[in-house]
Amino acid sequence: MKQSVVMLLAVMLVAGSQANVISNGSFETGDATDWWTYPVEPASQTLTVVDTLASDGIYSMESYSATATWSAQFGQYFEFTPSAAGDEFTLTFDYYAVTDGWGSLGVNLDYYTDAKHWLGWTSVFFQSSAPVEGEWTTVDISYELPEGTYALDLKIEVADWATVNFDNFNATVPEPATLALMALGSTLLMRRSRK
C-alpha cells in the first residue's frame, strides 16, 4: 500500500513538473496577447486572431501570405529553469491549411545560454500542398536542449501563397527536479522491497 502511495506521489510530482510554457496557446483571449506578430509585407500578408475556425474552443490565429519574398511570422519568447544535459523541449500545435497547391509552413527555434543561438528549423510543408489540406492536423516537434538553456524564442513562419490557422500550442520543458523525484521514488521502492 505504501509503495503505491509513494509511486503515485512521485508520478504526480513528475507530471506536474512539465507545465506548458506557452501563454495564450489557444488564443482564447480573442486576440494575440503574449504573441508577437510580424507581417513583413502588410500589403500581402495578415496575421489575426479569428473566431471563424478553431480546432478547439472559439479562436485561432490565422496567417495569410500571398508573396514568396518573405514569410509572415508570429512567435513567443519564454524563459524557464536552466536545462540539464539531455532535457527535451517538446512543441505541439494544430494547423488548418489552404494552399491551393503552393505554400510553406515552418517552425524556427533559437535558444539562450550565454548568448542567442540557433536550435533548429522544422519544415512542416514546403512549396506544395499541406500534408492534409483543409483539415486540422497536429504537429509534434521535439528538440534536445543544450545544457544551461534558460530561454527559447519560437517563430512560426508562413510563406508563399497560403492561409494557415493555428490552435492549441503547447510547449513543455522538464524541470530539473524531475530526475531527482524519479530517483527518489525508485530508491524508496527498492528500499521497501528489500525489507
Side-chain angles (χ1 to χ4, degrees):
M1 177 66 171
K2 288 182 181 177
Q3 286 178 325
S4 299
V5 171
V6 170
M7 187 63 143
L8 180 61
L9 181 59
V11 168
M12 286 171 57
L13 289 170
V14 169
S17 67
Q18 290 209 357
N20 184 9
V21 293
I22 294 276
S23 299
N24 193 24
S26 293
F27 307 99
E28 290 304 304
T29 58
D31 58 25
T33 298
D34 298 317
W35 294 88
W36 55 262
T37 59
Y38 188 45
V40 182
E41 297 180 14
S44 55
Q45 295 175 329
T46 59
L47 287 155
T48 185
V49 173
V50 298
D51 62 2
T52 53
L53 184 64
S55 171
D56 188 31
I58 299 170
Y59 300 98
S60 68
M61 170 69 82
E62 185 171 280
S63 178
Y64 168 76
S65 179
T67 175
T69 309
W70 299 101
S71 59
Q73 306 166 7
F74 70 100
Q76 203 169 120
Y77 168 89
F78 39 85
E79 295 183 353
F80 44 87
T81 304
S83 62
D87 278 353
E88 268 197 347
F89 167 76
T90 302
L91 172 70
T92 61
F93 63 90
D94 300 334
Y95 78 87
Y96 183 104
V98 178
T99 66
D100 296 325
W102 190 255
S104 301
L105 167 59
V107 177
N108 188 65
L109 279 165
D110 292 315
Y111 71 95
Y112 294 79
T113 51
D114 55 336
K116 182 177 180 178
H117 308 277
W118 182 64
L119 182 60
W121 166 265
T122 299
S123 178
V124 180
F125 58 87
F126 179 67
Q127 295 184 347
S128 64
S129 295
V132 181
E133 188 88 7
E135 285 183 28
W136 284 102
T137 304
T138 300
V139 174
D140 192 347
I141 299 168
S142 293
Y143 286 98
E144 186 171 320
L145 295 174
E147 187 170 0
T149 299
Y150 68 87
L152 286 171
D153 202 356
L154 167 67
K155 184 190 301 180
I156 308 297
E157 302 187 38
V158 174
D160 305 311
W161 285 262
T163 301
V164 186
N165 288 70
F166 299 89
D167 204 352
N168 295 330
F169 279 91
N170 191 331
T172 58
V173 179
E175 293 293 331
T178 300
L179 294 177
L181 287 169
M182 289 173 68
L184 176 63
S186 298
T187 303
L188 288 173
L189 286 175
M190 285 172 41
R191 185 175 178 200
R192 182 72 179 153
S193 65
R194 288 181 187 157
K195 290 183 178 182

